Amino acid sequence: YFLSLDADEALSEALQKWLQQTIEKGLSKDAYIFNRLNNYCGQWIKHGDYYPDKKLRLWRKELGHWGGEDPHDKVVTVANATIEKVPLDILHWSFASTEEHRRQMIRFSDIAAQAMYTRGKRVSSMKPWLSAAWSFLNGFFFRAGFLDGTAGWRIARMNAFYTLRKYKQLIQL
């Protein structure tokens, strides 16, 4: 099995205990998905687009590989892999400041736009605005980001900014 964590991630105590017990019993599934609990500017985010941020991070090495589309790489498993969702947290220290978040969204939106362009994706001039509005409404209201207060507002706003910029960049390309 591979367990993959980013440099800014750690296993919660509960997940460490679960993993130790499960390894002792023997892992029964091909892959495992965990919640990622994000720390945004010093605050743990429990709602909106940032929680639960489900990530497949433990998998049988012969049945999965890194794939996805840049900048959103992910583990891709074979079609018949058995996967279990474990309701425990990987702790992730995402952004220390809103400025750091903004810089990352600019970088990621450029990468995503280029990837879409390379795939041949094209959009109308309304797509950036409609998608950005939906991104904000979904993250802040429908997924209850407002329960995280100012941080939830900033995250929803930044996700809308990312979406708007990504599609505007695609149109420019």
Side-chain angles (χ1 to χ4, degrees):
Y1 281 84
F2 284 133
L3 172 65
S4 176
L5 296 176
D6 292 344
D8 58 357
E9 295 176 336
L11 302 176
S12 66
E13 276 190 45
L15 183 49
Q16 288 177 42
K17 287 177 186 172
W18 175 89
L19 190 55
Q20 185 176 3
Q21 292 169 350
T22 304
I23 289 172
E24 287 171 2
K25 289 189 300 190
L27 296 165
S28 62
K29 303 295 181 190
D30 297 324
Y32 296 86
I33 294 173
F34 307 105
N35 297 331
R36 188 165 70 164
L37 178 62
N38 289 283
N39 187 294
Y40 181 80
C41 301
Q43 178 181 338
W44 293 108
I45 302 300
K46 306 257 176 126
H47 307 91
D49 291 329
Y50 274 24
Y51 192 80
D53 182 14
K54 296 184 183 302
K55 300 291 179 191
L56 192 155
R57 291 302 178 83
L58 178 64
W59 70 95
R60 191 180 301 271
K61 62 183 178 180
E62 65 274 7
L63 298 181
H65 65 277
W66 281 102
E69 183 175 291
D70 202 8
H72 303 290
D73 300 325
K74 63 181 181 178
V75 177
V76 178
T77 59
V78 297
N80 61 346
T82 57
I83 300 173
E84 181 178 335
K85 292 179 182 170
V86 178
L88 298 171
D89 296 330
I90 293 172
L91 306 176
H92 178 231
W93 287 264
S94 60
F95 300 104
S97 70
T98 53
E99 184 52 38
E100 179 187 350
H101 190 187
R102 182 176 171 75
R103 284 191 308 267
Q104 185 80 314
M105 292 303 95
I106 289 170
R107 187 171 149 263
F108 279 7
S109 64
D110 290 345
I111 294 168
Q114 185 61 55
M116 288 188 298
Y117 181 77
T118 301
R119 274 197 346 260
K121 183 166 178 83
R122 302 299 182 266
V123 296
S124 73
S125 60
M126 290 302 296
K127 176 74 171 173
W129 301 101
L130 294 173
S131 293
W134 171 251
S135 175
F136 180 83
L137 291 171
N138 188 49
F140 192 68
F141 292 108
F142 302 132
R143 297 198 62 211
F146 62 88
L147 293 174
D148 289 311
T150 303
W153 171 264
R154 287 184 187 137
I155 291 166
R157 227 178 73 212
M158 201 61 70
N159 286 349
F161 166 76
Y162 163 82
T163 302
L164 178 68
R165 192 171 194 288
K166 171 180 68 175
Y167 287 119
K168 284 179 123 184
Q169 290 293 102
L170 176 59
I171 289 169
Q172 286 182 351
L173 291 172

